[in-house]
Amino acid sequence: MLREDVIINHEKGLHARVVAMVVLKANEINKKYNCNLYIQYKDRKSIPATSLMPLVLLKVKQGETVGVEVEGKENREALKEMANFLRGDFHIKESDQGKVDNIIEDNNITWEQVFKSTANGIVAVDEHGNIMLSNPSADNILNIVYEDIVGKNIGDILTSLPLIDVLKDRDPRIGVKKTLEDKMLLINTTPIIIGKDFKGAVAVFEDISNLERIKSELYEVKELKERLQRIVENVHDGICLVNRDGVITYVNPAYIELLRDKEENLLGKNIFEISPNGIRCEALKIGRPIIGKVIKKREGINVVANVTPIILEDKITGVLSVIKDLSEVQILTEMVNEISAKAEYLEGELYRREEPGEAFSKFIGRSGKTLDALAMAKKAAKTNATVLIRGESGTGKELIAEGIHTSSSNNRGPFVRVNCAAIPENLLESELFGHEKGSFTGAYKRKLGKFELAHNGTIFLDEIGEMEKNMQAKILRVIQEREIQRVGGDETIKINVRIIAATHRNLEDMVRYGGFREDLYYRLNVIPIYIPPLRERKQDLAFLIGYFLEKLDMETGKNIIGVTNEAMEGFLNYKWPGNVRELQNLLERIITLTEKDYIDLKDLPLYMKSDEGNETSKQILEKQVLKNKNLMEIIEDEEEILPLKDYEKIIIEKALKKYGSFNAAGKALGITHKTVASKARQYGIEKIVSWENLSR
């Protein structure tokens, strides 16, 4: 290899454009003389004269010397031509200008792509710690944006990188591990020294989180393998592994013990030879598991076997056979059944005994029937299914409905109450679905119905048994389609409403006799909840009396200490046909009238202390029916005429018994339902009719 030293005379030295001209010239000479030219600067290694960026990075200045080296044929001519070119002023022909630009552009793109495409993060700072550059990998790993950090001091932002330490002592930091949030970084940080001058530092790092995770997983796999080995060796089930050729490769001690055999008699044996008709051979052939096969072994041993193919990458590599002594299985099955039954019972009892929660705090009581009702209500609140609450008047059906709404997922929506019995039939549709302006006389403006008002909430349809059948059909459509139409309107309005209905009527009998639609009954009766009457949960009387006394004391300003034993006995003996509502009203009357600070037997009304007051509703009904029969006989007697009100009572009672509601009875008699209800209360037959309907 020949060499010639050349002094660079160009005022700017070998800067990028000059080097591009050198590269262009070197390519021409190499091709012309079939040789390879090199440039050597100071104590550095020789660099091919056709390599742009390495030559640029030499940063050769005016007046400095570089060595031109050549190898190959006709090397003297090539060396001379290249040396003369370097001594010149680097004037470029206009025809070569484009070639020089292309060389610069191609090399810039190449280095830029290398820098951007490097998977490792790179961050460089100058000698003052100011950030000069970072590549996209660094931005991604460190969650930074280059435009936001360039020019800023490394000590203010990227303190996780050990660049500050390198700037202080100029010593490299190799193989440093750092945790950055959820990432583990491996960082190499080295000083940047050009010549003998310290120019800054560069950190090259990579995210080794996956490697650390794999390392941890490998350790866990090793540990898991050891644990599985211990488990397999100590389980009571017999385990046998067979490879794809049918050779037994492993049996655990339990397998040997169950078969009364020796390990050496099993390992290495081929199942196609020792048990060609067995389920292990079958599973290996068909590639499907065989579960729960009862097999009779020699010496009267019965086992239950499960054989499962081992499949890797869609290929059967063997089978796993697990056997268990059948007698143990039978014992375990009995134990499991017994434990499951106990667990189910205890779970039910635990659920019943749980505190009802704030949503049901208004419903007072701790008796068994009360807890059952509240437990069912709590379960109903977890779903969006329709609920039908059954129970006599005054038992607290609305409180249960409100509690279900409060505990449900739609508790942010409204809770809208509708008493179907209190709204006249001709107004009920408008009340429920709303009406458009001008849809009927008096409709001066649009009105939203209860269903629209209850959107995304709950609507409580109380006394739904009093609803006429044509309205029942419209309610059924709402439940099925989840949409309504206002009276007089054509627009179909989608609604999202949880429906809770309640009634004291016997809907099953009403369905049987045509008073209630069967399809609506099944739609409503998805989750039935029965609220027991007060006479069936007298254990709650003490709780209820205490609650109402405290409430009424606050309202009246009195301080009633409690109830005497004699008075409490009177409360317990009474049948409470009006249920909790009757109890509340009675206590309010007693507290208002009493001058004492306690309630005794004298404060109770006479009917609670008489035998008549303690008659059951059935006994009252039987007496009333007998009385009615006598009256019917008198009516048929032409010689005796009774006052008109007696006949009126008989007719209204007969209509109520036949048609089952004030509305239907009113229509049959040609009078309004309000008149029927008023007359029934006047003659004291409204409760008897209600009890008759309940007892059907």
Side-chain angles (χ1 to χ4, degrees):
M1 180 180 288
L2 298 178
R3 174 188 172 96
E4 183 175 341
D5 290 335
V6 177
I7 297 174
I8 302 300
N9 297 316
H10 193 271
E11 59 181 356
K12 293 184 179 180
L14 295 183
H15 62 82
R17 180 163 291 278
V18 170
V19 172
M21 296 167 62
V22 171
V23 169
L24 181 63
K25 187 67 176 179
N27 279 320
E28 292 177 357
I29 295 173
N30 284 346
K31 186 175 181 181
K32 179 179 178 181
Y33 296 104
N34 191 22
C35 63
N36 292 312
L37 289 168
Y38 298 89
I39 293 177
Q40 195 271 330
Y41 174 64
K42 294 184 177 180
D43 57 349
R44 302 184 187 180
K45 292 183 179 180
S46 300
I47 298 172
T50 55
S51 299
L52 178 71
M53 287 307 298
L55 293 176
V56 172
L57 293 175
L58 291 176
K59 296 185 178 180
V60 179
K61 299 177 181 178
Q62 183 183 23
E64 291 186 324
T65 302
V66 297
V68 181
E69 300 173 344
V70 64
E71 61 179 9
K73 297 179 179 180
E74 303 182 39
N75 48 19
R76 289 188 179 278
E77 291 79 0
L79 180 63
K80 181 178 179 181
E81 187 173 341
M82 190 66 197
N84 290 335
F85 180 79
L86 288 173
R87 291 189 185 98
D89 58 358
F90 298 107
H91 177 72
I92 185 170
K93 299 177 183 178
E94 187 174 346
S95 59
D96 291 336
Q97 182 67 47
K99 296 179 182 179
V100 171
D101 291 340
N102 289 338
I103 291 173
I104 294 173
E105 183 178 356
D106 290 345
N107 278 270
N108 282 339
I109 292 174
T110 301
W111 280 95
E112 183 179 355
Q113 289 303 116
V114 169
F115 183 69
K116 287 183 177 180
S117 303
T118 301
N120 289 353
I122 301 173
V123 175
V125 297
D126 61 19
E127 65 270 26
H128 304 296
N130 297 322
I131 298 173
M132 296 187 296
L133 60 86
S134 70
N135 69 343
S137 294
D139 297 350
N140 183 50
I141 294 172
L142 300 178
N143 294 322
I144 59 175
V145 178
Y146 171 71
E147 289 78 5
D148 295 339
I149 66 168
V150 65
K152 295 183 179 179
N153 195 278
I154 191 71
D156 297 332
I157 43 179
L158 300 179
T159 55
S160 57
L161 300 177
L163 285 165
I164 297 176
D165 299 331
V166 175
L167 291 174
K168 289 179 180 178
D169 56 24
R170 303 183 184 182
D171 290 332
R173 306 290 197 279
I174 305 299
V176 177
K177 287 185 179 181
K178 284 269 189 177
T179 301
L180 179 65
E181 295 179 353
D182 58 342
K183 298 174 183 176
M184 175 68 75
L185 304 183
L186 180 63
I187 308 170
N188 294 326
T189 310
T190 55
I192 300 173
I193 298 175
I194 299 176
K196 295 182 180 180
D197 298 329
F198 177 72
K199 295 296 184 180
V202 60
V204 180
F205 48 90
E206 61 178 318
D207 184 357
I208 61 169
S209 303
N210 288 335
L211 294 176
E212 290 292 315
R213 194 176 299 113
I214 292 171
K215 178 182 176 182
S216 176
E217 288 175 357
L218 288 174
Y219 177 81
E220 290 176 1
V221 168
K222 182 178 178 181
E223 185 180 16
L224 179 61
K225 181 180 177 182
E226 183 66 24
R227 289 182 179 179
L228 289 175
Q229 182 68 26
R230 298 295 182 192
I231 292 171
V232 168
E233 294 290 338
N234 291 280
V235 295
H236 294 292
D237 294 348
I239 297 174
C240 173
L241 282 175
V242 179
N243 67 16
R244 72 185 67 187
D245 300 319
V247 177
I248 298 174
T249 59
Y250 174 80
V251 289
N252 71 337
Y255 193 89
I256 298 169
E257 184 178 350
L258 281 171
L259 298 185
R260 310 286 197 272
D261 213 327
K262 296 181 179 179
E263 186 174 358
E264 55 267 23
N265 295 336
L266 296 173
L267 287 179
K269 298 295 178 64
N270 195 299
I271 59 173
F272 291 105
E273 296 175 0
I274 62 175
S275 182
N277 299 319
I279 60 174
R280 290 175 296 182
C281 292
E282 184 180 354
L284 195 57
K285 290 176 182 177
I286 66 177
R288 292 195 302 272
I290 301 173
I291 305 299
K293 184 76 172 180
V294 178
I295 303 173
K296 293 183 178 181
K297 297 290 186 180
R298 60 180 181 272
E299 298 182 9
I301 302 171
N302 294 330
V303 298
V304 178
N306 296 326
V307 182
T308 306
I310 302 171
I311 300 177
L312 295 175
E313 297 180 353
D314 298 328
K315 292 183 180 180
I316 301 174
T317 61
V319 293
L320 169 67
S321 174
V322 180
I323 62 175
K324 181 183 286 290
D325 190 343
L326 186 59
S327 60
E328 291 184 9
V329 174
Q330 292 171 339
I331 293 171
L332 289 173
T333 301
E334 292 175 0
M335 291 175 62
V336 168
N337 290 338
E338 183 179 351
I339 292 171
S340 297
K342 288 181 179 179
E344 185 176 351
Y345 168 76
L346 291 173
E347 184 180 2
E349 284 297 304
L350 179 61
Y351 196 84
R352 287 176 70 246
R353 297 298 174 183
E354 283 182 354
E355 288 297 323
E358 188 68 25
F360 297 97
S361 60
K362 294 181 181 179
F363 196 92
I364 309 300
R366 300 296 297 168
S367 64
K369 290 187 177 182
T370 299
L371 293 177
D372 288 339
L374 293 176
M376 181 62 73
K378 285 165 58 182
K379 290 180 181 178
K382 295 179 180 179
T383 72
N384 203 35
T386 305
V387 178
L388 179 60
I389 304 175
R390 311 285 291 270
E392 298 177 10
S393 297
T395 51
K397 297 188 288 294
E398 184 174 334
L399 295 178
I400 294 295
E402 189 175 354
I404 293 174
H405 166 74
T406 305
S407 299
S408 65
S409 58
N410 58 352
N411 57 6
R412 295 181 181 272
F415 178 71
V416 178
R417 304 166 178 84
V418 180
N419 189 332
C420 301
I423 304 172
E425 178 188 355
N426 59 338
L427 297 180
L428 185 58
E429 183 176 3
S430 171
E431 191 70 20
L432 290 175
F433 306 136
H435 62 253
E436 297 289 352
K437 180 180 179 181
S439 57
F440 55 84
T441 303
Y444 299 113
K445 61 180 180 179
R446 171 186 285 181
K447 176 185 175 182
L448 301 183
K450 300 296 186 183
F451 274 99
E452 277 188 88
L453 295 175
H455 184 62
N456 290 330
T458 302
I459 188 168
F460 175 51
L461 301 176
D462 197 9
E463 299 297 351
I464 198 166
E466 309 299 327
M467 187 179 290
E468 295 299 322
K469 293 191 73 173
N470 63 334
M471 276 302 302
Q472 294 175 22
K474 295 177 181 179
I475 294 296
L476 178 64
R477 182 177 180 276
V478 174
I479 296 175
Q480 291 176 333
E481 306 298 334
R482 295 291 171 178
E483 61 185 27
I484 63 168
Q485 278 186 331
R486 300 189 190 102
V487 176
D490 298 326
E491 181 186 3
T492 298
I493 303 166
K494 288 289 183 181
I495 56 168
N496 175 31
V497 176
R498 172 49 169 311
I499 297 176
I500 301 176
T503 183
H504 72 279
R505 304 287 299 277
N506 188 322
L507 294 185
E508 291 78 12
D509 275 356
M510 292 184 69
V511 169
R512 189 179 302 117
Y513 296 119
F516 201 85
R517 291 181 64 103
E518 183 176 12
D519 46 7
L520 178 59
Y521 167 75
Y522 288 118
R523 282 286 186 177
L524 292 175
N525 200 40
V526 178
I527 302 180
I529 299 175
Y530 173 68
I531 309 300
L534 186 53
R535 64 180 173 277
E536 293 182 7
R537 57 182 187 106
K538 289 189 177 180
Q539 302 96 316
D540 295 336
L541 267 173
F543 296 102
L544 287 164
I545 291 172
Y547 171 77
F548 287 130
L549 286 181
E550 183 178 352
K551 180 181 177 183
L552 292 169
D553 282 352
M554 293 178 63
E555 293 176 358
T556 62
K558 292 188 176 183
N559 184 20
I560 304 299
I561 298 174
V563 180
T564 64
N565 291 337
E566 293 79 8
M568 181 57 75
E569 188 174 350
F571 280 112
L572 292 170
N573 290 333
Y574 185 55
K575 300 301 181 182
W576 299 106
N579 293 296
V580 179
R581 187 182 294 122
E582 181 183 3
L583 173 63
Q584 181 180 2
N585 294 338
L586 175 63
L587 289 173
E588 186 174 357
R589 182 168 76 240
I590 292 173
I591 291 174
T592 302
L593 298 176
T594 187
E595 299 296 334
K596 304 185 294 294
D597 57 359
Y598 60 90
I599 297 174
D600 61 15
L601 186 60
K602 294 179 181 179
D603 295 315
L604 271 56
L606 290 174
Y607 65 82
M608 288 185 64
K609 296 179 281 187
S610 66
D611 293 337
E612 185 177 352
N614 291 325
E615 286 181 335
T616 65
S617 299
K618 184 177 180 181
Q619 291 170 332
I620 295 172
L621 179 61
E622 289 173 351
K623 288 175 64 177
Q624 190 68 26
V625 171
L626 180 60
K627 184 177 180 182
N628 289 344
K629 287 182 178 179
N630 294 334
L631 288 172
M632 289 302 297
E633 291 174 0
I634 295 173
I635 291 173
E636 293 172 359
D637 188 350
E638 297 180 353
E639 295 181 0
E640 186 173 354
I641 300 299
L642 296 175
L644 182 60
K645 64 179 183 179
D646 289 346
Y647 294 115
E648 188 179 61
K649 177 180 178 182
I650 294 171
I651 293 170
I652 290 175
E653 186 169 2
K654 187 174 180 64
L656 287 172
K657 287 182 179 180
K658 181 175 181 179
Y659 296 103
S661 72
F662 294 142
N663 284 332
K667 290 181 68 174
L669 296 174
I671 58 179
T672 67
H673 75 287
K674 288 187 176 181
T675 303
V676 176
S678 175
K679 294 292 184 182
R681 285 192 292 271
Q682 178 183 344
Y683 299 129
I685 59 176
E686 76 280 358
K687 291 182 181 178
I688 295 172
V689 173
S690 299
W691 277 106
E692 168 127 341
N693 289 328
L694 280 174
S695 62
R696 285 179 177 175

